[in-house]
């Protein structure tokens, strides 16, 4: 089924919406120097680049220094004081390098961390120490954000490579703490997931088990297959899959096998038989032997074998004969998003909307009604910007909540709104942060029944700005639902006018709005509480008559 989403702007903003018009007329961001620092499981990497008005990125310098974050987190559950101070030392050295480039403003520097920091029990203590030592805020990315950024890093590259088709493509990156998979079907994200299957995590499990080296491969293969067991169920049917691998371990392999020195425009190809033969010999070597033979660092020597084994088993599950290797990475994706003016691009909006539609279909939602309510919510958001004063990004969050507000009916019509919240919070919407997904879930939860209360779980831990945003979006959603109370989709276009303390919603081209008027009366209480305005709906003819009477 077509999603009816030719572009994200047409879906989330509409071709004639203020948001779309503003985006179309906005000048491109100027060229500027930027730095992205990636605090990973076994190293801290920094990319210094120039982002340009046309959205391109010119890489200027890359640095990397090893740390033991993953070793601490995956064995002890927390980052040791010694490791924290090692990270401080590395980041201070990076700050000196940035001073040479005169990159000093906070809006020029983005510091992100992934699974090793995200899973540490002392995550906040780590972030506070870094802030005290460097003045930098560490942004801990959740899994869905990593997947979104990974997609941003490979999307332009995919479009430029003739060797690939996007009809059945799986993008895989084996990191130290997790394996991230993106399944692309006909150019759209069909599935995304992060598996707790990292190369360093596998190595630490072996150390914990104290298994003999002769058993290493057998143990790792068992864990890999256990984790990836259900992955084939999410692949598109009728396509021969192609596999693209990201990550330093596969780049190392490409250099060893074919002497390929990858850059941002090149693509290496490794056959599965070549990978299998190399893994057979490599995985038998000790770390010391790997370091001597291949001139790798200890951290690389420790994780390269497990990582390549994950890629091998994944390729076998996909039944592919070759693997394409790219130089794209997390830092590339972040720089591309910065160059594009932020993460809320048309492409991202389109993908997250498609993800929401797939989730709705999974729970047998009324798709026509959901789409209609989402579009009316979008129109209300745009028409009432002066009243709600919300940042434009909340438009897409409201749109998603409108699409999914009734999926709780799959569980039960009793407390449907609460079930909707639960299902959204426990599902994956591509690219949304956990925080944004929580906001979507709460707006869906408050589409009916009680207004938000201070004692309501989840809502009560939000700060004031987010509580207010949820209340405003939920109030708009209730009005949008009432405008499609007949579930006929007949109210397709609305205008608004203000008369004293009343908001008048006008539906052109309709003569009878009795069903919608009754529904508005029942749904408007929360809108009146939030915005301090009564609300009513009228036909265009009746609205014109009242305007003439007022003028007389």
């Amino acid at each position: 089924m077509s999603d009816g989403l030719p572009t994200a702007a047409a879906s989330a903003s509409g071709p004639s919406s203020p948001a779309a018009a503003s985006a179309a007329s906005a000048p491109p961001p100027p060229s500027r120097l930027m730095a992205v620092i990636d605090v990973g499981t076994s190293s801290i990497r920094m990319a210094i680049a120039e982002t340009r008005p046309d959205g391109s990125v010119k890489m200027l310098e890359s640095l990397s220094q090893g740390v033991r974050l993953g070793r601490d987190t995956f064995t002890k559950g927390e980052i040791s004081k010694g490791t924290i101070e090692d990270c401080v030392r590395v980041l201070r050295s990076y700050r000196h390098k940035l001073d040479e480039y005169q990159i000093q403003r906070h809006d020029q520097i983005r510091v992100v961390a992934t699974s090793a920091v995200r899973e540490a029990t002392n995550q906040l203590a780590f972030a506070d120490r870094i802030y005290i030592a460097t003045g930098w805020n560490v942004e801990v990315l959740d899994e869905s954000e990593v997947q979104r950024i990974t997609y941003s890093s490979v999307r332009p590259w995919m479009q430029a490579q003739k060797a690939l088709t996007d009809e059945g493509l799986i993008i895989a990156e084996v990191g130290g703490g997790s394996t991230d998979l993106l399944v692309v079907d006909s150019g759209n994200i069909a599935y995304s997931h992060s598996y707790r299957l990292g190369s360093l995590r596998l190595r630490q499990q072996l150390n914990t088990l104290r298994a003999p080296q002769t058993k290493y491969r057998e143990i790792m293969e068992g864990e890999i297959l256990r984790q990836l067991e259900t992955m084939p169920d999410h692949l598109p049917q009728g396509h021969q899959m192609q596999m693209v691998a990201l990550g330093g371990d596969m780049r190392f392999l490409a250099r060893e096998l074919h002497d390929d020195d990858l850059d941002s425009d090149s693509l290496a190809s490794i056959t599965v038989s070549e990978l299998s033969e190399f893994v057979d010999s490599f995985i038998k070597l000790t770390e010391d032997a790997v370091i001597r033979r291949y001139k790798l660092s200890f951290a690389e020597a420790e994780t390269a074998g497990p990582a390549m084994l994950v890629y091998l088993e994944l390729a076998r599950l996909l039944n592919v004969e070759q693997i394409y290797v790219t130089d794209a990475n997390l830092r590339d994706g972040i720089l591309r998003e910065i160059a594009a003016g932020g993460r809320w691009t048309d492409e991202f909006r389109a993908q997250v909307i498609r993800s929401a539609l797939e989730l709705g279909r999974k729970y047998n939602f009324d798709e026509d009604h959901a789409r209609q309510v989402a579009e009316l919510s979008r129109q209300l958001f745009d028409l009432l910007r002066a009243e709600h004063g919300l940042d434009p990004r909340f438009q897409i969050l409201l749109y998603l909540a409108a699409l999914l507000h009734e999926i709780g009916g799959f569980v039960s019509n009793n407390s449907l709104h609460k079930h909707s919240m639960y299902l959204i919070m426990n599902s994956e919407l591509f690219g949304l942060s956990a925080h944004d997904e929580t906001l979507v879930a709460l707006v869906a939860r408050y589409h009916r029944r009680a207004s938000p209360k201070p004692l309501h779980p989840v809502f009560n831990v939000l700060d004031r700005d987010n509580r207010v945003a949820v209340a405003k979006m939920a109030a708009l959603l209730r009005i949008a639902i009432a405008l499609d109370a007949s579930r006929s989709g007949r109210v397709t276009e609305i205008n608004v006018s203000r008369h004293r303390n009343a908001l008048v919603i006008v539906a052109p081209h309709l003569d009878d709005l009795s069903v919608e008027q009754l529904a508005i009366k029942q749904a408007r209480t929360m809108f009146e509480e939030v915005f301090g305005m009564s609300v009513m709906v009228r036909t265009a003819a009746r609205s014109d008559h009242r305007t003439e009477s007022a003028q007389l």
Side-chain angles (χ1 to χ4, degrees), residues 44 82 114 152 188 217 295 398 520 523-524:
I44 299 178
T114 50
S152 296
N188 300 318
R217 180 165 186 166
K295 305 300 186 289
L398 172 59
I520 288 287
R524 66 188 180 188

Side-chain angles (χ1 to χ4, degrees), residues 23 84 115 133 138 157 188 193 203 212 214 218 236 263 297 299 330 354 386 511 527 539:
I84 292 175
S115 59
V138 178
W157 171 86
N188 300 318
H193 191 68
R203 176 63 68 180
T214 55
E218 179 183 346
D263 57 37
S297 68
L330 187 73
R354 289 189 180 97
D511 297 326
F527 187 93
T539 63

Side-chain angles (χ1 to χ4, degrees), residues 133-386:
T134 66
W136 292 340
N137 287 308
V138 178
E139 179 184 353
V140 181
L141 301 176
D142 58 34
E143 294 166 348
S144 62
E145 289 178 293
V146 172
Q147 292 158 9
R148 183 197 77 242
I149 294 168
T150 298
Y151 182 74
S152 296
S153 73
V154 301
R155 179 65 176 169
W157 171 86
M158 285 166 50
Q159 294 171 331
Q161 296 296 333
K162 296 181 180 179
L164 296 176
T165 172
D166 61 5
E167 290 188 352
L169 186 68
I170 187 162
I171 302 164
E173 181 170 19
V174 181
S178 61
T179 294
D180 292 306
L181 298 183
L182 293 174
V183 178
V184 181
D185 181 16
S186 301
N188 300 318
I189 299 296
Y191 174 70
S192 61
H193 191 68
S194 183
Y195 297 85
R196 291 171 63 87
L197 189 64
S199 55
L200 184 59
R201 197 189 297 271
L202 280 171
R203 176 63 68 180
Q204 293 306 111
Q205 288 176 349
L206 293 176
N207 294 341
T208 301
L209 292 172
R210 300 180 183 276
Q213 187 167 350
T214 55
K215 291 288 186 179
Y216 277 10
R217 180 165 186 166
E218 179 183 346
I219 294 170
M220 287 191 290
E221 285 178 336
E223 177 64 12
I224 293 166
L225 293 174
R226 184 186 71 81
Q227 290 270 4
L228 298 178
E229 180 180 13
T230 62
M231 184 274 297
D233 298 337
H234 301 284
L235 299 179
Q237 301 300 311
H239 297 312
Q240 175 59 47
M241 299 300 296
Q242 291 180 300
M243 179 176 167
V244 176
L246 285 71
D249 302 297
M250 291 299 282
R251 293 194 293 271
F252 153 74
L253 181 59
R255 288 193 299 270
E256 287 297 317
L257 293 179
H258 303 299
D259 198 27
D260 286 331
D261 190 12
L262 292 173
D263 57 37
S264 59
D265 298 320
S266 63
L267 179 71
S269 176
I270 298 171
T271 67
V272 174
S273 60
E274 288 176 326
L275 173 60
S276 177
E277 184 178 346
F278 189 88
V279 168
D280 286 344
S281 60
F282 188 93
I283 211 158
K284 296 175 183 177
L285 301 175
T286 64
E287 284 89 347
D288 290 340
V290 169
I291 292 169
R292 288 193 302 270
R293 180 179 298 186
Y294 297 105
K295 305 300 186 289
L296 296 178
S297 68
F298 179 81
E300 292 168 332
E302 189 178 31
T303 59
M308 288 188 286
L309 188 59
V310 174
Y311 285 115
L312 176 60
E313 295 303 327
L314 180 59
R316 287 172 172 170
L317 282 172
L318 294 172
N319 195 30
V320 299
E321 295 182 356
Q322 63 182 349
I323 302 170
Y324 296 100
V325 182
T326 173
D327 191 40
N329 55 59
L330 187 73
R331 298 171 301 288
D332 290 340
I334 295 173
L335 286 167
R336 290 186 186 279
E337 287 188 348
I338 292 171
R343 69 184 174 106
W344 298 95
T345 62
D346 285 351
E347 175 66 25
F348 170 60
R349 286 171 178 260
Q351 294 296 348
V352 73
I353 288 170
R354 289 189 180 97
S355 178
L357 288 170
E358 288 301 317
L359 181 61
R361 291 165 188 157
K362 177 181 178 180
Y363 293 114
N364 300 327
F365 74 152
D366 182 344
E367 184 167 343
D368 290 339
H369 176 63
R371 285 178 177 269
Q372 180 68 7
V373 171
E375 172 57 20
L376 291 169
S377 296
R378 195 274 306 163
Q379 292 187 44
L380 285 168
F381 186 97
D382 290 346
L383 291 167
L384 299 176
R385 288 182 185 277

Side-chain angles (χ1 to χ4, degrees), residues 47-96:
I48 303 171
E50 179 185 16
T51 61
R52 295 172 172 174
D54 62 358
S56 63
V57 177
K58 179 183 179 182
M59 198 63 64
L60 302 177
E61 188 170 354
S62 296
L63 300 173
S64 177
Q65 293 193 42
V67 291
R68 297 166 56 91
L69 283 164
R71 184 185 293 274
D72 285 357
T73 298
F74 303 147
T75 55
K76 299 179 291 184
E78 66 176 23
I79 305 167
S80 68
K81 291 181 180 179
T83 300
I84 292 175
E85 292 310 310
D86 287 342
C87 293
V88 167
R89 176 185 53 78
V90 171
L91 291 172
R92 279 177 170 163
S93 72
Y94 286 175
R95 189 172 63 179
H96 293 319

Side-chain angles (χ1 to χ4, degrees), residues 376 379-380 383 483 491-499 503-510 513 535-544 547:
L376 291 169
Q379 292 187 44
L380 285 168
L383 291 167
L483 290 171
V491 179
T492 58
E493 180 185 349
I494 57 174
N495 299 307
V496 299
S497 60
R498 291 104 174 144
H499 298 285
L503 178 74
V504 179
I505 300 174
V506 179
H509 318 304
L510 294 176
L513 290 171
V535 59
M536 58 194 75
V537 61
R538 294 197 178 118
T539 63
R542 188 176 175 194
S543 178
D544 291 343
T547 301

